[in-house]
DNA sequence: GTCCACACGTGACCC
DNA sequence: TGGGTCACGTGTGGA
């Protein structure tokens, strides 16, 4: 019910309806549909098809532009919505979720991807000969979590992984991503971990000391082997 | 923007502000607050706060609803656009990229995430005692690539990784993600690989045979060890 | 002056 | 009913 909308272009509409360019719509002002279908349902004042553009009056040109505009805008909307539909099918949500909620989920998802796949600066890909613990405190996530990365490089032993898992569990840390590369009896673990923001700094410190003790335990139990390093590097940012 | 838009309902707005419909306070509609800014100096014709709603004429109610509607729609737009801005800051693109192009990038990104983190059915997380090659042909990516997953579980040996890298390089396969878990002398490699769509099926087959020969080479060089398995499983979907 | 992308107000529709 | 979302046509400003 837009009783006054037609006033905006009333002069144009009046002219066009008087010239039979379009039909009058249900509200007493022309619908765009009737305007767009003018070529098929109404007669032309300018019968020469080949010179329509040059013969067009300013009103005709304006209306043609309007029609163009309307259709372009429709195409734009369809483009955007098709992408949104793709996202809907990609994410775990039904086809009736809000645009806004959908985009919120997408933001969350992309944030996860960014956090979990971002490079860890200063770290080598393969296990080094020296024992090494690295804890990099990362950025704060929007959902009340602190994401940080920890790396542990040490002698490979079979019960290292269970110990590591136990540590993470006891500190209530959620492991977003864990990668292990074992090479020549050495192992390198890279962890992407999420901590509650309330205890983030404590969690980081606790994890660091826990990894340190894990490393020392590992070295003491392997004392029959030649120790590759006596001390480990410790990096904290 | 649209400086004359307010003219559309100007007579109704004038009517309402003259009748003190704006500024109705605690019993009015919550969205009325924003209307108060333009009519804070208006007086009330209806001093009884509790009867304002019932005293409203149909025109009042209709226009109040319209105003409500308009503002709710604006909030909705802002919510959606704020999410789009977040995505803009998250993705590698400047702040002036199209909505549609932005969403296209987002779709691409989420697809990658989905492909690279999806579970590989039927695979164990840790290296098994039996040698095993798995090649799962995945879905076609939108950008002319076929993403598929390969898993190799075998005896751990130091030159396995260089060999594996050489294979991937020679087949012109792009490794999107590689995870290695070594445990008790056994190693499990899980690869997420992208192939050009033109040679996707050949690439998958080549990779499979290459992994097979890699496994056989590994077994023959380790023949002084007790062979855990004589043959390997081969899964192709 | 013609596209292009955007924000806006509005009608339609659904809980 | 009201509160919410959606698609639409339109005005506007930037290449």
């Amino acid at each position: 019910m837009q009783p006054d909308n037609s006033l905006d272009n009333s002069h144009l509409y009046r002219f066009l309806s008087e010239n039979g360019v379009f039909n009058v719509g249900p509200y007493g002002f022309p619908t765009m549909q009737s305007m767009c279908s003018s070529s098929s349902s109404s007669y032309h004042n300018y019968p020469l098809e080949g010179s329509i553009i040059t013969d067009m009056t300013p009103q005709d040109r304006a209306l043609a532009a309007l029609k163009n505009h309307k259709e372009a805008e429709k195409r734009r909307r369809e483009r955007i919505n098709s992408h949104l539909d793709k996202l809907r099918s990609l994410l775990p949500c039904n086809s009736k979720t809000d645009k806004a909620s959908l985009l919120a989920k997408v933001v969350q998802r992309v944030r996860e991807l960014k956090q979990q796949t971002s490079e860890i600066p200063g770290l080598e890909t393969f296990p080094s000969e020296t024992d090494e613990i690295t804890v990099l405190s990362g950025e704060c996530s929007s959902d009340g979590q602190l994401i940080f990365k920890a790396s542990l490089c040490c002698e490979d032993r079979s019960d290292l992984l269970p110990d590591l898992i136990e540590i993470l569990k006891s500190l209530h840390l959620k492991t977003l991503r864990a990668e292990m590369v074992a090479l020549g009896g050495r192992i390198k673990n890279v962890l992407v971990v999420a901590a509650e923001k309330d205890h983030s700094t404590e969690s980081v410190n606790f994890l660091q000391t826990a990894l340190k003790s894990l490393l020392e335990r590992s070295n003491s139990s392997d004392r029959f082997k030649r120790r590759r390093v006596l001390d480990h590097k410790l990096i904290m940012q």
Side-chain angles (χ1 to χ4, degrees), chain A:
Chain A
M1 75 144 197
Q2 22 181 193
D4 296 323
N5 253 1
S6 60
L7 291 175
D8 292 347
N9 292 315
S10 55
H11 56 293
L12 190 58
Y13 290 155
R14 211 176 311 115
F15 168 86
L16 290 169
S17 78
E18 283 166 0
N19 287 276
V21 174
F22 54 76
N23 299 318
V24 173
Y27 297 114
F29 64 90
T31 64
M32 290 310 292
Q33 281 72 25
S34 65
M35 296 165 74
C36 297
S37 59
S38 60
S39 58
S40 60
S41 63
S42 62
Y43 70 90
H44 287 251
N45 282 338
Y46 311 100
L48 299 176
E49 292 274 331
S51 59
I52 275 183
I53 292 178
T54 52
D55 285 348
M56 278 209 297
T57 68
Q59 288 86 349
D60 284 353
R61 302 179 65 91
L63 194 53
L66 203 63
K67 181 184 171 201
N68 248 355
H69 182 36
K70 184 182 61 174
E71 289 168 350
E73 180 63 16
K74 183 168 179 63
R75 281 195 300 273
R76 175 179 163 269
R77 278 198 301 267
E78 286 171 350
R79 214 172 341 142
I80 292 176
N81 283 335
S82 87
H83 284 142
L84 288 177
D85 283 340
K86 282 184 217 152
L87 286 173
R88 243 181 277 266
S89 70
L90 250 49
L91 290 183
C93 66
N94 59 35
S95 64
K96 207 41 203 161
T97 44
D98 263 304
K99 271 184 193 175
S101 319
L102 171 68
L103 286 177
K105 280 178 200 250
V106 170
V107 168
Q108 179 79 10
R109 200 94 162 134
V110 174
R111 281 223 171 95
E112 287 175 14
L113 175 64
K114 196 182 179 69
Q115 288 161 350
Q116 297 175 27
T117 61
S118 63
E119 294 297 318
I120 301 178
L123 290 185
E124 305 295 327
T125 308
F126 294 108
S128 62
E129 289 294 301
T130 58
D131 285 1
E132 201 169 310
I133 295 176
T134 310
V135 179
L136 299 175
S137 62
E139 311 153 16
C140 285
S141 157
S142 61
D143 53 344
Q145 284 187 333
L146 178 90
I147 312 287
F148 63 97
K149 292 155 199 142
S151 169
L152 170 69
C153 181
C154 63
E155 198 78 27
D156 193 7
R157 59 181 177 90
S158 61
D159 56 340
L160 187 83
L161 214 48
D163 286 356
L164 199 54
I165 293 171
E166 194 55 39
I167 288 175
L168 295 171
K169 232 193 293 184
S170 68
L171 291 179
H172 298 103
L173 295 172
K174 201 175 80 176
T175 305
L176 298 177
R177 181 183 169 127
E179 297 205 0
M180 282 147 270
V181 179
L183 198 61
R186 304 279 298 169
I187 190 168
K188 167 151 209 157
N189 299 273
V190 179
L191 305 169
V192 180
V193 182
E196 292 305 309
K197 203 177 270 174
D198 307 333
H199 322 99
S200 58
T201 48
E202 299 94 307
S203 294
V204 172
N205 289 330
F206 284 156
L207 178 63
Q208 195 170 352
T209 55
L211 291 180
K212 194 172 169 180
S213 71
L214 181 64
L215 209 59
E216 283 161 357
R217 215 174 342 142
S218 188
N219 282 335
S220 60
S221 68
D222 281 348
R223 70 174 74 248
F224 58 91
K225 283 188 179 181
R226 178 181 66 83
R227 291 264 292 281
R228 294 178 191 246
V229 287
L230 291 177
D231 278 323
H232 55 267
K233 290 201 294 183
L234 194 59
I235 304 172
M236 181 64 195
Q237 293 185 344

